[in-house]
Amino acid sequence: MLIGTSDTSGEKAAANAVEQAAKSLRDLRVAEVVKLDMQLDAQGKVEVYRAKLNVSFKFEGS
């Protein structure tokens, strides 16, 4: 599972997670958003959007 964050939207949080994963995983195939949530401040305003994703990729092993 991957977790991405953004201060602008859940969609951007998901994109950030995929971009980060692409730095160390090859042949990413599908990203599935499993959960979206938000971290709130003491006044109930959104501080950060979070996206939890499952990602599939091609595995090359023995």
Side-chain angles (χ1 to χ4, degrees):
M1 179 174 289
L2 302 175
I3 299 175
T5 61
S6 169
D7 58 356
T8 57
S9 71
E11 184 176 302
K12 184 61 179 166
N16 288 342
V18 171
E19 289 170 12
Q20 188 65 32
K23 292 179 182 178
S24 60
L25 298 172
R26 293 184 302 142
D27 297 323
L28 292 174
R29 303 294 173 108
V30 175
E32 173 191 14
V33 176
V34 176
K35 183 177 182 180
L36 292 173
D37 61 26
M38 298 170 281
Q39 183 176 331
L40 307 174
D41 66 14
Q43 288 75 40
K45 293 188 178 188
V46 176
E47 287 185 326
V48 66
Y49 296 87
R50 297 186 301 193
K52 296 179 182 179
L53 293 85
N54 288 333
V55 178
S56 67
F57 55 93
K58 185 176 178 181
F59 178 74
E60 295 177 11
S62 53

